[in-house]
């Protein structure tokens, strides 16, 4: 407010002097830039809703367009809005780093910060089915899958069991993660928790793929048939992105960066 008032007073003050028009414009331009910089320090670290990397109907018939639009434009936007409220006035923290102490930071950061990270991660690991069908695990990832689960099909079977309503009761997520021994595991988390959060599991684990099993992710199309949704989801999983996530985690032992 103070900076806005000062800038407003500057305009007539500059105009009152015999300064060439071009020079006056340059002075006001620089003052405006300074005002924005000083007046909005909190906005510099604000989180944003990332655009989907495909159209709302791109994942049809496996995930329907109305679900994608509501899921992205309403549910994810709400998490972004609320995590910005929860972190207002605090030093800017990258959304990946925000996950580590989210439980200690309180429900605003835990629920909405987790919701923002989880959804940003989720959108980018999917692609239209015709493109997804041309992707597959890299040789390095396939080796880890075989060691942990026997085969890709074995992994999908264990993932289906871990994502079932009896395993993730109510709302939550199912993940394939890299643990502290650089081995793959499948874990479920409730609500918007994720394995990057200290205290959610026995140790911090790093997701390379994850599936939203909240009802808002599938109910318009699948109603109460969550297992069908889980099984069909593999048709839109972009293994190229999962390979990228795996390579990043193995190299950095850190959470995968996301947009927004």
């Amino acid at each position: 407010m103070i900076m806005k008032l000062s800038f407003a007073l500057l305009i007539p003050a500059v105009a009152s002097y015999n300064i060439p028009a071009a020079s006056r414009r340059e002075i006001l331009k620089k003052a405006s830039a300074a005002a924005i910089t000083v007046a909005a320090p909190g906005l510099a670290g604000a989180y944003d809703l990332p655009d989907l990397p495909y159209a709302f109907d791109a994942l049809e018939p496996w995930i329907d367009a109305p679900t994608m639009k509501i899921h992205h434009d309403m549910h994810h936007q709400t998490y972004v809005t609320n995590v910005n409220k929860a972190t207002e006035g605090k030093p800017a923290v990258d959304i990946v780093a925000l996950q580590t102490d989210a439980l200690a930071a309180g429900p605003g950061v835990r629920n909405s910060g987790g919701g923002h990270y989880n959804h940003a991660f989720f959108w980018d690991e999917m692609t239209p089915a015709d493109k997804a069908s041309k992707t597959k695990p890299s040789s390095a990832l396939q080796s880890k899958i075989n060691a942990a689960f026997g085969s890709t099909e074995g992994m999908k079977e264990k993932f289906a069991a871990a994502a079932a309503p009896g395993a993730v009761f109510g709302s939550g997520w199912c993940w394939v993660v890299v643990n502290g021994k650089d081995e793959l595991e499948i874990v479920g988390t409730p609500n918007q928790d994720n394995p990057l959060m200290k205290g959610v599991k026995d140790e911090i684990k790093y997701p390379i793929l994850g599936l939203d099993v909240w009802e808002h992710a599938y109910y318009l199309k699948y109603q109460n048939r969550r297992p069908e949704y889980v099984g069909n989801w593999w048709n839109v999983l972009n293994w190229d992105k999962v390979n990228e996530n795996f390579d990043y985690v193995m190299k950095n032992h850190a959470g995968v960066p996301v947009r927004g």
Side-chain angles (χ1 to χ4, degrees), residues 204-236:
I204 290 177
K205 304 174 193 286
Y206 304 105
I208 62 168
L209 69 81
L211 176 62
D212 188 348
V213 293
W214 282 61
E215 286 189 344
H216 65 233
Y218 63 86
Y219 202 83
L220 290 181
K221 182 176 179 66
Y222 294 97
Q223 290 81 51
N224 65 335
R225 305 189 310 278
R226 187 196 289 181
E228 184 180 346
Y229 158 69
V230 173
N232 285 342
W233 175 72
W234 297 103
N235 291 298
V236 294

Side-chain angles (χ1 to χ4, degrees), residues 29-40:
K29 181 180 178 181
K30 290 180 178 179
S32 176
I36 292 170
T37 300
V38 174

Side-chain angles (χ1 to χ4, degrees), residues 6 69 103 105 123 142 166 172 246 255:
S6 299
K69 183 168 180 57
L103 272 64
W123 308 136
Q142 188 67 62
F246 172 74

Side-chain angles (χ1 to χ4, degrees), residues 31-55:
S32 176
I36 292 170
T37 300
V38 174
L43 296 180
Y47 305 107
D48 299 309
L49 179 69
D51 293 335
L52 291 177
Y54 35 72

